[in-house]
Amino acid sequence: AGDDVRLLGRLLGRVVREQAGDDAFELIERVRLVAVGDRRDHVAPFDDLVAVLAPASLADRLHVIRAFAWLSLLADTAEDVHVERRRRFHRAQGSAGHAGTLRGTFERLRDAGVGADVVAAVLRDLKVAPVLTAHPTEVRRKTVLDHVARVAELLDERAGVADSAAIDAIDAALELEALLLWQTAILRLTKLRVRDEINESLRYYETSLFRVAPALRRDVAAEFQRAYGEAAPDPVVLGPVVGMGSWIGGDRDGNPFVTAGTLRYAIGRQAHVALEHHLAELLRLSVSLSMSSRLVTPTPALSALAEASGDDSPFRADEPYRRALRGMHARLHALAAAILGETPLPLPAVALGPYGGLDELLDDLDVVAASLRSHGGGRVADAMVAPVRDAVAMFGAHACALDMRQNSAVHERVLADLFVAADVTPSYLDAAEDERVRLLLAELRSPRRLRHEFASYADETVGELAILDQAALASRLLGPRAVPHYVISKSESVSDVLEVAVLLKEAGLLRPGLSPTSAVDVVPLFETIDDLHRAPGIVAALLAEPTYRALVEHRDRRQEVMIGYSDSSKDGGYLTSTWNLYRAQVEIADVARAAGVRLRFFHGRGGTVGRGGGPAYDAILAQPSGTVDAALRITEQGEMVAAKYSRPAAARRNLETLVAATIEASAMPREAEGVDARFLAVMDELSASAMVAYRAFVYDEPDFVTFFRSVTPIGEIARLNVGSRPASRTASDRIEDLRAIPWVFGWSQCRISLPGWFGVGTAFEHLAATHPDALDVLRDMHDRWPFFRSAMSNMGMVLAKSDLEIGRRYAELADPSYGPRLFAGIAAEHDRSVGWHERITGSADLLVGNPALARSIANRFAYLDPLHVLQVDMLRRYRAGDDDPEVARALELTINAIATGLRNSG
């Protein structure tokens, strides 16, 4: 990776010299040498860089910002290519499976004595669902990502050639991409709309997901059979394996721009993408499957398809597969036209009536595959027909499952409005919880609907019901997989869940009665520390209620529960959030087990440790025993979506990691975890201490909010043309009302990264003061308990990415009456957390066990130092009233560039 980074840096330097002139190039090169030298010599970078940049004009500073922004992005790209190259090398060498690979997982299960029957049972139900969400931390434009993808392709190609002329040609092409980037605007002119976010997320399906997900499904079966040999059943029966999801266009919690029209647009665009892909694949097959009936004998079923195709061209008279597939394309085209309300291109060669549904297309593809196998074409069926069939089965006509999400407070108001108009009760909002539950259950059992044409409803009620009606239409048109979940933010009671069930009934998505049935899963989301404490009791009460239990029975006897990492971390701090999420999962799983119900957890994780981020493989294996039951849903957010899904190799690596970890966590015996009661007690004590320390600083310190807004560019971030969602749920300045994403994003910009560690050092210190053997117990926990080891590893990662010498310069932006005092508190807690990490892990290396990340930081972080120096300068100017538009532009560029360089910033 280092060689590729140096190559790209050299090529970018040539472009900069040509485009910006010798003076700008010489300044950038001096800055680079100082930044790299200071990092190499472990010198605090700020003063030397300030001295170099002090004489520079604003125009030259903009050149420096742009150069280091592009250099950071190119370094990220070189790293990704290197990781993919190493994976290919290990596979080619036939190396033993590594952690996070299918081969590694099946080998570990086999070597641990887990029987093929146990693993096969997991595979039958296996479904991993990454859910793409739109949040204001993806700062890169689609145009930029396209150029970066080309750079990655060229680096890959360069590694495989030895001819000097070929290498020169590739280097010329790389330099051309560097030129295109240099002349491309990093920033958008306008803020993203929800429609833009929908389209940006859907492009990953054509670039990677349509090919990668079906291939991964086939590889699950192949690697299982490889590991277990004759013990593996043949054929292997697989569940969906991967089922993509999305919140973009259905998540309206705090986003006023998501309406019924938005949901309709999202569903329509998803259907376009899926159906156009399937049509293109059928056309491709119709060209490729050129077998002649003069040479092979197709099955009668295939011949019947050919005869029914309406294709009577004499040129294809002896080509039954081509004729059959042209007919299949025509029938799918007619179905697509009916679904989309327009005629997709390209037009079919013949006109036929539509399929009654995609199940009929799957049946026809099975006919094609079976016929090929009947005359020795099995390899053709496996290589060409099976991927098309798998894609149709996995992605359907909807591409991905679009979730609806709304805050429980909105549901309360809508139900209150409906109840008044239907003369049920004039005071639902004032009713006690037991009275609310009684009213809601009565509605779930009643066949009548609440709304009627003579009533006048509030605008909010009209808007919410319109969204549900649109979801019901999508479900009828595309099938129940199109809109299969309704997530309830701020779930605090049984009534919060039942309210959504009643609203689903109003839209015809739930059939009422004593044993109601629903086309949609109702998913409570527990976000704050208090919510997590209440969650097991709420789930128990729901499952004990016969009417609600009937809904669960109808939904494959499975209850989904979402847990929120972001808000729980903002509420209670990193350690308290991590522990309460773990405890809540254990207790909810116990409740579900006692009720005889299967459970699926939906993990609302972000890219950063402060929002539940960290290595996905370790995180899944660290979940409590019994909480990963062959099924996992997990959010993919912000800048991590592009990092994971913009290229096929990256998408494959990410999905394989999630699937491998889910299989292993579901099948591997976990008796060894048999968590020591002492460990649980210690974690309870640590959690309580950490939360006290965290909340005392973040919520009780009167100057904290002003300090936060001074040392982070949180106010300026709102100017960036990134996500469509407002940064706060209300106009309030309170931390409680700030969204968790900009909260973490702001702290990462100044490299303090407070949400990922604050309070932990104090908690360890308090434990040591009250328990003489605390260190021995903590080391034992680290050695024997995956949960604690993962928590310490993730904290080490965020501490390694933080830099208090840089943070100190941001703290100088705060008022001197409180800035130095509050920063001193941060620095002291940081030192405590670093010190205890070393004592517990036995290593001064914060990234012990993660050498790849250590190398990554060494390669990339020097390029961030000049950006921080310039961001502090621009913040000072901007806040002092400098209204030069170039100052605002420079500030926005630094925000963008630092986020890109840090990678998991929000």
Side-chain angles (χ1 to χ4, degrees), residues 419-600:
F419 280 153
V420 168
D423 201 25
V424 174
T425 175
S427 54
Y428 178 74
L429 293 178
D430 297 326
E433 171 67 5
D434 58 348
E435 175 62 10
R436 288 188 177 193
V437 169
R438 186 188 67 78
L439 290 168
L440 294 166
L441 288 174
E443 293 304 323
L444 285 177
R445 295 168 187 143
S446 170
R448 71 176 178 94
R449 292 186 181 177
L450 291 167
R451 55 176 159 168
H452 57 89
E453 59 188 289
F454 304 110
S456 177
Y457 299 111
D459 289 344
E460 181 178 58
T461 302
V462 172
E464 290 297 307
L465 292 175
I467 287 170
L468 286 162
D469 289 340
Q470 195 62 52
L473 177 61
S475 186
R476 290 194 297 273
L477 198 60
L478 301 175
R481 289 197 296 161
V483 191
H485 309 101
Y486 196 121
V487 178
I488 309 162
S489 299
K490 205 70 179 140
S491 294
E492 298 176 337
S493 64
V494 170
S495 63
D496 286 340
V497 178
L498 296 180
E499 283 162 358
V500 169
V502 172
L503 291 174
L504 291 173
K505 172 196 158 187
E506 287 299 303
L509 287 164
L510 182 147
R511 184 182 295 275
L514 291 176
S515 295
T517 60
S518 175
V520 175
D521 283 330
V522 182
V523 184
L525 165 54
F526 301 107
E527 299 174 273
T528 66
I529 301 300
D530 283 345
D531 290 346
L532 291 168
H533 287 164
R534 283 192 293 263
I538 293 171
V539 174
L542 281 167
L543 296 179
E545 167 48 53
T547 304
Y548 183 81
R549 175 60 183 263
L551 287 176
V552 176
E553 293 288 340
H554 177 252
R555 302 293 295 171
D556 196 28
R557 206 167 44 82
R558 191 190 290 274
Q559 171 67 52
E560 182 168 309
V561 172
M562 184 173 185
I563 49 175
Y565 291 68
S566 306
D567 282 290
S568 61
S569 178
K570 183 165 69 76
D571 184 33
Y574 168 65
L575 193 65
T576 305
S577 166
T578 303
W579 178 235
N580 279 275
L581 286 161
Y582 183 95
R583 288 299 295 261
Q585 288 181 77
V586 170
E587 293 169 13
I588 294 169
D590 288 344
V591 164
R593 197 175 300 113
V597 166
R598 301 185 68 185
L599 189 65
R600 176 171 59 216

Side-chain angles (χ1 to χ4, degrees), residues 227-244:
Y228 280 89
E230 292 183 3
D234 187 21
V236 179
V237 179
L238 292 178
V241 179
V242 172
M244 298 300 298

Side-chain angles (χ1 to χ4, degrees), residues 357-419:
L358 289 185
D359 285 347
E360 295 180 10
L361 171 59
L362 292 173
D363 290 342
D364 285 354
L365 286 167
D366 287 340
V367 167
V368 174
S371 181
L372 287 168
R373 295 183 199 286
S374 74
H375 55 69
R379 282 182 293 167
V380 176
D382 290 341
M384 303 184 72
V385 180
V388 177
R389 190 200 188 284
D390 284 347
V392 172
M394 293 176 87
F395 297 101
H398 62 290
C400 58
L402 182 64
D403 287 5
M404 292 181 282
R405 182 172 80 130
Q406 183 56 284
N407 195 288
S408 62
V410 175
H411 305 141
E412 291 177 355
R413 293 193 295 270
V414 170
L415 260 298
D417 197 17
L418 289 170
F419 280 153

Side-chain angles (χ1 to χ4, degrees), residues 685-888:
E685 194 169 339
L686 287 170
S687 172
S689 299
M691 184 168 178
V692 168
Y694 173 84
R695 289 195 66 89
F697 192 74
V698 171
Y699 289 94
D700 299 339
E701 165 57 56
D703 293 315
F704 178 81
V705 172
T706 311
F707 175 78
F708 167 62
R709 294 189 174 277
S710 298
V711 303
T712 71
I714 184 65
E716 291 75 17
I717 285 170
R719 293 172 48 89
L720 268 179
N721 295 318
V722 284
S724 67
R725 183 189 300 273
S728 290
R729 286 184 167 90
T730 70
S732 154
D733 269 350
R734 299 189 323 149
I735 298 297
E736 291 91 332
D737 295 322
L738 182 71
R739 288 193 170 277
I741 296 128
W743 161 253
V744 174
F745 191 79
W747 283 115
S748 70
Q749 285 280 310
C750 66
R751 298 292 288 284
I752 292 173
S753 299
L754 178 145
W757 53 267
F758 196 91
V760 181
T762 292
F764 288 138
E765 205 153 271
H766 180 268
L767 187 77
T770 54
H771 300 280
D773 63 342
L775 182 56
D776 289 338
V777 174
L778 292 169
R779 286 174 173 168
D780 196 24
M781 290 165 65
H782 183 264
D783 291 342
R784 293 173 46 207
W785 195 11
F787 159 77
F788 188 70
R789 188 163 54 251
S790 174
M792 292 301 294
S793 174
N794 285 338
M795 187 180 77
M797 180 176 69
V798 77
L799 287 169
K801 287 190 171 186
S802 65
D803 190 320
L804 284 220
E805 286 305 314
I806 290 174
R808 188 183 310 278
R809 304 310 176 110
Y810 283 83
E812 292 170 0
L813 296 169
D815 191 287
S817 66
Y818 58 79
R821 173 176 58 84
L822 293 186
F823 185 78
I826 288 173
E829 183 64 14
H830 187 271
D831 287 346
R832 280 191 288 271
S833 299
V834 169
W836 275 100
H837 186 276
E838 177 178 350
R839 292 186 197 102
I840 293 167
T841 63
S843 173
D845 182 2
L846 290 165
L847 296 172
V848 60
N850 196 346
L853 181 56
R855 286 193 299 272
S856 169
I857 286 176
N859 285 336
R860 291 187 290 118
F861 276 23
Y863 303 139
L864 295 181
D865 293 340
L867 296 168
H868 287 294
V869 169
L870 290 166
Q871 185 177 88
V872 169
D873 178 50
M874 296 304 154
L875 282 169
R876 193 172 273 119
R877 292 189 189 196
Y878 185 75
R879 292 171 181 177
D882 189 334
D883 58 1
D884 187 333
E886 292 299 274
V887 170

